[in-house]
mmCIF file of all heavy atoms in Angstrom:
data_model
loop_
_atom_site.group_PDB
_atom_site.id
_atom_site.type_symbol
_atom_site.label_atom_id
_atom_site.label_comp_id
_atom_site.label_asym_id
_atom_site.label_seq_id
_atom_site.Cartn_x
_atom_site.Cartn_y
_atom_site.Cartn_z
ATOM 1 N N THR A 386 -9.880 -10.329 -1.656
ATOM 2 C CA THR A 386 -9.651 -11.477 -0.772
ATOM 3 C C THR A 386 -9.691 -12.820 -1.489
ATOM 4 O O THR A 386 -9.083 -13.774 -1.005
ATOM 5 C CB THR A 386 -10.675 -11.494 0.384
ATOM 6 O OG1 THR A 386 -11.989 -11.643 -0.148
ATOM 7 C CG2 THR A 386 -10.582 -10.235 1.223
ATOM 8 N N ASN A 387 -10.366 -12.935 -2.619
ATOM 9 C CA ASN A 387 -10.400 -14.193 -3.370
ATOM 10 C C ASN A 387 -9.238 -14.333 -4.337
ATOM 11 O O ASN A 387 -9.184 -15.296 -5.101
ATOM 12 C CB ASN A 387 -11.716 -14.323 -4.153
ATOM 13 C CG ASN A 387 -12.856 -14.741 -3.264
ATOM 14 O OD1 ASN A 387 -12.663 -15.362 -2.231
ATOM 15 N ND2 ASN A 387 -14.072 -14.385 -3.653
ATOM 16 N N ARG A 424 -17.947 -8.695 -3.061
ATOM 17 C CA ARG A 424 -17.691 -9.871 -2.223
ATOM 18 C C ARG A 424 -16.944 -9.525 -0.943
ATOM 19 O O ARG A 424 -17.102 -10.205 0.061
ATOM 20 C CB ARG A 424 -16.889 -10.917 -3.006
ATOM 21 C CG ARG A 424 -17.681 -11.606 -4.073
ATOM 22 C CD ARG A 424 -16.924 -12.758 -4.692
ATOM 23 N NE ARG A 424 -15.700 -12.314 -5.359
ATOM 24 C CZ ARG A 424 -15.039 -13.025 -6.247
ATOM 25 N NH1 ARG A 424 -15.475 -14.229 -6.586
ATOM 26 N NH2 ARG A 424 -13.953 -12.566 -6.814
ATOM 27 N N ASP A 425 -16.087 -8.523 -0.991
ATOM 28 C CA ASP A 425 -15.261 -8.189 0.181
ATOM 29 C C ASP A 425 -16.039 -7.290 1.139
ATOM 30 O O ASP A 425 -15.892 -6.073 1.144
ATOM 31 C CB ASP A 425 -13.950 -7.525 -0.261
ATOM 32 C CG ASP A 425 -13.008 -8.506 -0.930
ATOM 33 O OD1 ASP A 425 -13.236 -9.729 -0.824
ATOM 34 O OD2 ASP A 425 -12.043 -8.052 -1.565
ATOM 35 N N THR A 426 -16.850 -7.927 1.947
ATOM 36 C CA THR A 426 -17.641 -7.206 2.941
ATOM 37 C C THR A 426 -16.738 -6.713 4.064
ATOM 38 O O THR A 426 -15.589 -7.160 4.201
ATOM 39 C CB THR A 426 -18.704 -8.138 3.541
ATOM 40 O OG1 THR A 426 -18.033 -9.212 4.215
ATOM 41 C CG2 THR A 426 -19.637 -8.677 2.465
ATOM 42 N N ALA A 427 -17.263 -5.838 4.872
ATOM 43 C CA ALA A 427 -16.504 -5.333 6.022
ATOM 44 C C ALA A 427 -16.099 -6.473 6.942
ATOM 45 O O ALA A 427 -14.950 -6.535 7.409
ATOM 46 C CB ALA A 427 -17.325 -4.286 6.773
ATOM 47 N N SER A 428 -17.016 -7.412 7.199
ATOM 48 C CA SER A 428 -16.685 -8.514 8.111
ATOM 49 C C SER A 428 -15.616 -9.433 7.520
ATOM 50 O O SER A 428 -14.744 -9.925 8.240
ATOM 51 C CB SER A 428 -17.932 -9.299 8.504
ATOM 52 O OG SER A 428 -18.545 -9.875 7.378
ATOM 53 N N LEU A 429 -15.647 -9.651 6.206
ATOM 54 C CA LEU A 429 -14.609 -10.468 5.583
ATOM 55 C C LEU A 429 -13.256 -9.769 5.649
ATOM 56 O O LEU A 429 -12.237 -10.387 6.000
ATOM 57 C CB LEU A 429 -14.979 -10.779 4.129
ATOM 58 C CG LEU A 429 -13.972 -11.611 3.341
ATOM 59 C CD1 LEU A 429 -13.676 -12.939 4.038
ATOM 60 C CD2 LEU A 429 -14.482 -11.845 1.928
ATOM 61 N N LEU A 430 -13.218 -8.470 5.339
ATOM 62 C CA LEU A 430 -11.956 -7.726 5.428
ATOM 63 C C LEU A 430 -11.415 -7.710 6.861
ATOM 64 O O LEU A 430 -10.205 -7.766 7.075
ATOM 65 C CB LEU A 430 -12.137 -6.296 4.920
ATOM 66 C CG LEU A 430 -12.304 -6.142 3.407
ATOM 67 C CD1 LEU A 430 -12.645 -4.699 3.061
ATOM 68 C CD2 LEU A 430 -11.066 -6.602 2.664
ATOM 69 N N ALA A 431 -12.325 -7.653 7.840
ATOM 70 C CA ALA A 431 -11.921 -7.625 9.250
ATOM 71 C C ALA A 431 -11.215 -8.912 9.659
ATOM 72 O O ALA A 431 -10.393 -8.903 10.580
ATOM 73 C CB ALA A 431 -13.133 -7.392 10.148
ATOM 74 N N LYS A 432 -11.516 -10.007 8.979
ATOM 75 C CA LYS A 432 -10.870 -11.292 9.291
ATOM 76 C C LYS A 432 -9.651 -11.537 8.409
ATOM 77 O O LYS A 432 -8.605 -11.969 8.879
ATOM 78 C CB LYS A 432 -11.869 -12.434 9.105
ATOM 79 C CG LYS A 432 -13.008 -12.422 10.084
ATOM 80 C CD LYS A 432 -14.010 -13.517 9.747
ATOM 81 C CE LYS A 432 -15.271 -13.289 10.567
ATOM 82 N NZ LYS A 432 -16.452 -13.703 9.850
ATOM 83 N N TYR A 433 -9.799 -11.290 7.124
ATOM 84 C CA TYR A 433 -8.762 -11.635 6.149
ATOM 85 C C TYR A 433 -7.489 -10.802 6.306
ATOM 86 O O TYR A 433 -6.388 -11.348 6.425
ATOM 87 C CB TYR A 433 -9.323 -11.484 4.733
ATOM 88 C CG TYR A 433 -8.335 -11.793 3.633
ATOM 89 C CD1 TYR A 433 -8.092 -13.101 3.244
ATOM 90 C CD2 TYR A 433 -7.651 -10.779 2.969
ATOM 91 C CE1 TYR A 433 -7.194 -13.400 2.237
ATOM 92 C CE2 TYR A 433 -6.754 -11.058 1.957
ATOM 93 C CZ TYR A 433 -6.522 -12.376 1.594
ATOM 94 O OH TYR A 433 -5.623 -12.654 0.602
ATOM 95 N N VAL A 434 -7.622 -9.494 6.291
ATOM 96 C CA VAL A 434 -6.441 -8.620 6.260
ATOM 97 C C VAL A 434 -5.593 -8.756 7.536
ATOM 98 O O VAL A 434 -4.379 -8.967 7.449
ATOM 99 C CB VAL A 434 -6.848 -7.156 5.965
ATOM 100 C CG1 VAL A 434 -5.640 -6.240 5.988
ATOM 101 C CG2 VAL A 434 -7.564 -7.077 4.609
ATOM 102 N N PRO A 435 -6.172 -8.676 8.733
ATOM 103 C CA PRO A 435 -5.354 -8.807 9.940
ATOM 104 C C PRO A 435 -4.794 -10.217 10.166
ATOM 105 O O PRO A 435 -3.943 -10.403 11.024
ATOM 106 C CB PRO A 435 -6.305 -8.433 11.080
ATOM 107 C CG PRO A 435 -7.486 -7.811 10.460
ATOM 108 C CD PRO A 435 -7.543 -8.296 9.044
#
Side-chain angles (χ1 to χ4, degrees):
T386 63
N387 282 335
R424 288 188 298 198
D425 289 346
T426 63
S428 61
L429 179 56
L430 288 173
K432 293 175 192 147
Y433 179 82
V434 178

